[in-house]
């Protein structure tokens, strides 16, 4: 079922995809902050000689 706005407009596929990408990016950022607080690494790649726990 597709919902319409109060003015009777239907959302576009473009708007839907942009909203989904934005929401996904927000959650990925939050997960990255949690990971950084747990293992202390800030960048994507571990430093040379890094050993996980």
């Amino acid at each position: 079922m597709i919902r319409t706005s109060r003015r009777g407009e239907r959302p576009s596929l473009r708007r839907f995809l942009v909203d989904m990408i934005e929401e996904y990016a927000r959650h990925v950022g939050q997960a990255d902050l949690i990971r950084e607080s747990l293992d202390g690494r800030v960048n994507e790649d571990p430093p040379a000689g890094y050993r996980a726990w």
Side-chain angles (χ1 to χ4, degrees):
M1 175 165 73
I2 297 178
R3 298 187 184 266
T4 59
S5 69
R6 293 179 185 175
R7 293 182 284 178
E9 299 169 338
R10 297 175 70 183
S12 67
L13 178 59
R14 178 183 179 277
R15 176 64 188 206
F16 174 76
L17 291 175
V18 168
D19 287 346
M20 293 302 295
I21 291 169
E22 180 183 6
E23 190 67 21
Y24 178 76
R26 182 177 297 126
H27 289 290
V28 168
Q30 291 171 348
D32 195 37
L33 291 173
I34 294 169
R35 181 200 51 81
E36 289 173 2
S37 68
L38 291 174
D39 66 10
R41 292 189 304 140
V42 178
N43 297 328
E44 292 180 12
D45 297 325
Y50 176 81
R51 296 187 60 153
W53 308 21

